């Protein structure tokens, strides 16, 4: 029989954070395709890992091909895509990990739902999980000049229907916690800007 087992029924989030010596929260990137969300999110994840923090990035590759492979790009499917991502990010954050999401998330209402979800506590002792919206801002013309995956070209040719910024809407965030002006902000500077915000808010202590 195993000995020395500590049994603590139902740890609170605060207790979990104390055991893990780190706060869990969600960094939610939003912006047009090719604005630089994935590039900055990947660099940020690496930076946080180097600082010794647990961080994990949810992006199109690990979500669209797995959890959400049944979803397309209609408004309804985009809503459901973001709803599930919000739920999963919240679980990661609840486990004292820094969840980083990099999805266009074009609809304001969907981003608000993800935010509300993080604010809703499971129990009376639990505080809200911090939700940091990072808007990677770029003009459509500039994103189109980058076009690393040739998606804008295909959208203009009508090969991809419902493409955000061309044939589907993007609701600009009005009050994001962090605004990154993509064209004039090098990736390292964007990472430094986000890291400073996290330090200033006491979300990370390194
Ligand atoms: P998204 O995830 O928003 O679709 P990506 O990160 O996949 O965007 O692509 C952005 C492209 O723009 C990449 O090829 C990247 O190298 C390039 N890029 C140029 N300048 C920047 C910058 N300041 N920040 C982020 N990406 C940049």
């Amino acid at each position: 029989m195993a000995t020395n087992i500590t049994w603590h029924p139902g740890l609170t989030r605060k207790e979990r954070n104390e055991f893990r010596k780190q706060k869990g929260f969600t960094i939610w990137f939003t912006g047009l395709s090719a604005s630089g969300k994935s590039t900055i999110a990947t660099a940020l994840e690496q930076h946080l890992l180097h600082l010794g923090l647990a961080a994990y990035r949810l992006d199109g590759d690990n979500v669209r091909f797995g959890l959400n492979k049944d979803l397309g790009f209609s408004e309804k499917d985009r809503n459901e895509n973001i709803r599930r991502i919000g739920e999963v990010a919240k679980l990661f954050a609840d486990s004292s990990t820094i969840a980083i999401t990099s999805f266009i998330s074009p609809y304001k209402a969907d981003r608000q739902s993800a935010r509300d979800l993080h604010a809703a506590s499971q129990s009376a002792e639990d505080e809200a999980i911090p939700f940091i919206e990072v808007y990677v801002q770029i003009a459509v013309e500039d994103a189109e000049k980058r076009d690393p995956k040739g998606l804008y070209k295909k959208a203009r040719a009508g090969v991809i229907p419902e493409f955000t910024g061309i044939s589907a809407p993007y609701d600009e965030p009005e009050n994001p916690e962090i605004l990154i002006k993509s064209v004039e902000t090098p990736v390292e500077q964007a990472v430094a800007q986000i890291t400073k915000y996290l330090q200033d808010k006491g979300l990370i202590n390194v």
Side-chain angles (χ1 to χ4, degrees):
M1 284 289 281
T3 54
N4 298 320
I5 290 174
T6 311
W7 170 250
H8 195 312
L11 288 172
T12 63
R13 186 175 306 132
K14 189 162 173 281
E15 285 169 323
R16 264 197 308 277
N17 284 345
E18 279 162 12
F19 279 121
R20 290 279 303 273
K21 298 185 173 53
Q22 137 166 25
K23 285 188 181 132
F25 54 89
T26 293
I27 303 178
W28 188 282
F29 282 86
T30 175
L32 292 175
S33 179
S35 60
K37 299 178 299 297
S38 298
T39 306
I40 298 167
T42 305
L44 176 68
E45 180 190 31
Q46 252 178 49
H47 181 61
L48 295 172
L49 290 170
H50 275 295
L51 292 175
L53 298 161
Y56 185 70
R57 192 167 46 88
L58 295 164
D59 71 7
D61 287 345
N62 60 22
V63 173
R64 278 264 180 204
F65 294 124
L67 177 70
N68 291 355
K69 68 178 173 192
D70 56 322
L71 302 176
F73 291 88
S74 66
E75 180 168 350
K76 191 164 154 276
D77 278 7
R78 284 181 194 243
N79 295 149
E80 179 59 13
N81 184 46
I82 296 305
R83 189 192 70 77
R84 290 185 201 169
I85 291 159
E87 292 281 359
V88 174
K90 184 183 177 181
L91 291 174
F92 271 93
D94 195 32
S95 77
S96 306
T97 297
I98 301 170
I100 303 171
T101 67
S102 59
F103 298 86
I104 299 174
S105 38
Y107 299 111
K108 191 176 165 213
D110 291 345
R111 297 192 301 264
Q112 186 61 47
S113 301
R115 184 186 287 276
D116 292 346
L117 189 66
H118 283 69
S121 297
Q122 242 89 29
S123 73
E125 307 103 272
D126 277 337
E127 292 169 13
I129 298 177
F131 181 90
I132 296 115
E133 188 172 347
V134 180
Y135 175 29
V136 186
Q137 188 183 50
I138 194 165
V140 179
E141 307 79 68
D142 291 323
E144 206 165 350
K145 273 186 222 148
R146 286 184 182 170
D147 205 10
K149 298 176 199 154
L151 297 176
Y152 282 91
K153 205 162 166 240
K154 284 189 188 160
R156 288 283 183 206
V159 180
I160 309 177
E162 300 180 279
F163 192 79
T164 305
I166 305 287
S167 43
Y170 178 78
D171 303 340
E172 279 206 69
E174 281 152 19
N175 230 340
E177 275 73 10
I178 302 174
L179 170 68
I180 292 172
K181 297 187 178 223
S182 188
V183 172
E184 57 231 63
T185 314
V187 179
E188 308 75 54
Q189 200 180 309
V191 170
Q193 187 185 336
I194 298 166
T195 305
K196 184 170 185 313
Y197 177 91
L198 300 178
Q199 287 164 335
D200 290 349
K201 295 285 174 192
L203 292 167
I204 59 174
N205 299 311
V206 282

